[in-house]
Every structure is written in C-alpha cells, then in structure tokens.
Amino acid sequence: QQQVKQSPQSLIVQKGGISIINCAYENTAFDYFPWYQQFPGKGPALLIAIRPDVSEKKEGRFTISFNKSAKQFSLHIMDSQPGDSATYFCAASQGGGSNYKLTFGKGTLLTVNP
Amino acid sequence: KAGVTQTPRYLIKTRGQQVTLSCSPISGHRSVSWYQQTPGQGLQFLFEYFSETQRNKGNFPGRFSGRQFSNSRSEMNVSTLELGDSALYLCASADGRNTEAFFGQGTRLTVV
C-alpha cells in the first residue's frame, strides 16, 4: 500500500523555469511533510518541511504548498538552476518529534537544462 | 558538527552470508532510523531506535535486525543474504526534540 504518491516520475525544466512536484497522501494522521533532495552517491538531504497548520512555506527559491482537505502537497522550485538537478522525495510522518518513521514517495528525477 | 557517519560505504557479500552495517548519529541525537533504498521500491523504513529501544519497525522479514548502543551508535544486521537485499542502506538521526531527520551517505550493499 503506497501511502504517499508522488508525480511526475521525471521532470525536465529549462534554466530559470519553475519546477513543480506533487504528492498526495492517504493517512490523515500524518502531521509532518518534509521534502528531501538527493544527489547521486549521496544520502537524502532535508530541503524544506511543513506542518498541516499552514498552507504555504517558503525558503529561498523553494516553496511548499499544502492542501489539507485534498490531502496534497507540492514543491515549487523557482528560477530552477542546473545545480538543482537531483532526485526529490516527498515524505510524511506522524507523531511529531517522537516518531521518526518517514513514509516516502517514489521520487522525481529533476533535470534542469542550461 | 559532524554529520551522520555510515560504515562501510560499500560492501560485496555472497548469498547466504550475513552482514553488519554501522551508523554513528550526529552528536547529541538519540534517535536512529534505518531505510532501504532500491530503484524499484524506493525508500522503505526498516526500524527506528531511541535510547537503545526499538520504537518502530517496518515490514521487513526477521532477517533484518538492529540494535542501538548507549552512545547512540547503531548497527543493523542482515542474515542469510538474498540477491534482493542488494540496496543502499541509509541511516538517519534525529535529536528527539525536533522533527528533522538527517541522513548519512549510506552503505551500498551488493549481494552476489
């Protein structure tokens, strides 16, 4: 049972464009939604995270939009750069700081062309 | 502050053997989680330890086990290796107060 569905599987964007990755979840008990960025040969690195009490969070060029009623959240990368080319994973967990079991989406391979 | 350290980085084992992977969390972090990453299944949760106690366990067979020591370092063991166990095994640490989990670079296990 895939509890977090991520789309698209791959995405090609031109430099300066906007990259958008979407995720949908099923478990309404999830209360923490992080995005991770992974480069080849590296472990996932936390990019940005949101809790369901806010609808949007922005950090630099990265923005998470959250729709609790639709059980969906998305990552927007503004002014995409070739250095952003990586695999992006959405994830979800429940229980706040006492529970570190993350359920991941399948990942999106982002390629930003120069 | 040093990040999460996983050793070894690469391992090649034969079917039927067992393997032990090690993870040293960020200093002060008491929670260590393990994940298996494969191209087909993606990132899947194995188990989580907090203060030497297993708090959560994923849907993996009993061949996968782990433990945590009093200094928060953790090991995971896989017995009777199968070809399908070939994967990148990732360890993540967290401090138990905040929600953020930080990953190591992983151990690439190849079973032949």
Side-chain angles (χ1 to χ4, degrees), chain B residues 48-69:
Chain B
E48 186 235 352
Y49 288 86
F50 184 86
S51 293
E52 302 179 67
T53 301
Q54 186 182 87
R55 290 200 301 192
N56 291 290
K57 191 176 189 303
N59 296 323
F60 279 80
R63 300 185 297 105
F64 292 81
S65 63
R67 60 177 175 169
Q68 186 181 33
F69 302 95

Side-chain angles (χ1 to χ4, degrees), chain B residues 18 23 32 37 51 66 70-71 78 81 83-85 98 102 110:
Chain B
Q18 75 164 16
C23 172
V32 174
Q37 185 175 25
S51 293
S70 58
N71 62 358
V78 188
L81 284 165
L83 296 178
D85 296 334
N98 300 309
F102 300 91
T110 302

Side-chain angles (χ1 to χ4, degrees), chain B residues 31-112:
Chain B
S31 169
V32 174
S33 305
W34 289 89
Y35 293 80
Q36 181 195 64
Q37 185 175 25
T38 59
Q41 298 300 316
L43 281 149
Q44 292 187 288
F45 174 79
L46 282 156
F47 28 67
E48 186 235 352
Y49 288 86
F50 184 86
S51 293
E52 302 179 67
T53 301
Q54 186 182 87
R55 290 200 301 192
N56 291 290
K57 191 176 189 303
N59 296 323
F60 279 80
R63 300 185 297 105
F64 292 81
S65 63
R67 60 177 175 169
Q68 186 181 33
F69 302 95
S70 58
N71 62 358
S72 293
R73 190 178 71 85
S74 177
E75 289 181 346
M76 69 162 280
N77 184 278
V78 188
S79 62
T80 319
L81 284 165
E82 300 176 0
L83 296 178
D85 296 334
S86 295
L88 180 67
Y89 289 89
L90 291 158
C91 163
S93 81
D95 65 8
R97 295 187 300 274
N98 300 309
T99 318
E100 291 82 1
F102 300 91
F103 284 83
Q105 294 199 79
T107 294
R108 171 74 63 186
L109 172 65
T110 302
V111 182
V112 297

Side-chain angles (χ1 to χ4, degrees), chain A residues 3-82:
Chain A
Q3 294 195 49
V4 178
K5 293 184 179 180
Q6 184 172 345
S7 63
Q9 278 188 306
S10 62
L11 180 62
I12 300 174
V13 173
Q14 291 300 118
K15 179 182 175 181
I18 302 173
S19 304
I20 302 174
I21 305 171
N22 301 299
C23 283
Y25 63 96
E26 299 166 7
N27 187 348
T28 55
F30 285 147
D31 60 3
Y32 174 68
F33 302 89
W35 284 88
Y36 283 85
Q37 178 189 57
Q38 186 176 29
F39 293 103
K42 304 288 187 182
L46 179 64
L47 199 57
I48 186 173
I50 198 168
R51 293 194 177 276
D53 53 346
V54 297
S55 61
E56 186 174 282
K57 182 175 181 179
K58 184 176 180 179
E59 288 184 2
R61 296 185 294 111
F62 301 93
T63 300
I64 299 179
S65 297
F66 186 85
N67 186 328
K68 188 174 181 178
S69 61
K71 292 187 288 184
Q72 294 176 347
F73 59 111
S74 60
L75 175 70
H76 294 230
I77 306 174
M78 312 299 287
D79 187 27
S80 299
Q81 299 296 313

